[in-house]
Amino acid sequence: MLNSRAQGTFTRRWYAVFSLVSLAGRTPALRRPATRLPYAALHRRALAPLVRAGHLEPGVLDGYVDWMATPEGRRWLLHYFGDYRTPPRPELRRHLRDLTCPTAVVWGRADPYLSPAIATELAGTVPGAELTLLDDAGHWVMDERPDAVTAALGRLLERPTSNG
């Protein structure tokens, strides 16, 4: 599991942001004004550190965000967020102890969106899970630390399974 919301939720700031966008997406009176927000520019700004660090090519970033600059893209984004729910998922939390497959939890300690406490809980609850916390990575661990993520996944694949 790589910086996944899983059973938890976002940090307080991002919980508020995603909850508000979700509310706007499902509330007719808010949806129309919300289609005027600069989603592409906001995403571009949020991903700029990855571009500056050389982890994300500018052309790839364009593909990620340019569709949000169109009226249809903004409507689609709000439609998506209209069904997006941000609260913690207790129904998932209850079943973490039932997981039997080998599990690796790889997380960036500097993730501004999802607290490393989610990773610690996952690794402490899923039987036999291996936790890898990366000090110099944020939310985009695969982009920021590909070698460390690959090593963690390699260890996962080398682990024996209960079937053999």
Side-chain angles (χ1 to χ4, degrees), residues 16 31 33 35 38 44 52 60 64 81 93 116-117 119 123 125 139 158 163:
R31 195 175 310 124
T35 61
R44 190 173 293 284
R52 283 192 300 275
V60 173
Y64 283 168
F81 271 103
R93 179 174 279 118
T125 308
H139 185 68
E158 291 169 0
N163 296 334

Side-chain angles (χ1 to χ4, degrees), residues 13-87:
R13 173 183 181 191
W14 290 105
Y15 183 90
V17 168
F18 292 128
S19 293
L20 287 171
V21 175
S22 179
L23 179 65
R26 67 179 179 272
T27 306
L30 298 175
R31 195 175 310 124
R32 185 174 176 103
T35 61
R36 294 186 183 96
L37 294 173
Y39 298 107
L42 293 169
H43 280 82
R44 190 173 293 284
R45 183 174 180 186
L47 295 169
L50 289 175
V51 174
R52 283 192 300 275
H55 301 307
L56 180 61
E57 295 292 324
V60 173
L61 176 62
D62 293 343
Y64 283 168
V65 302
D66 283 354
W67 64 271
M68 293 180 220
T70 68
E72 181 62 26
R74 290 188 299 272
R75 278 192 300 277
W76 186 91
L77 186 69
L78 283 169
H79 173 75
Y80 169 81
F81 271 103
D83 289 322
Y84 193 77
R85 300 296 182 258
T86 52

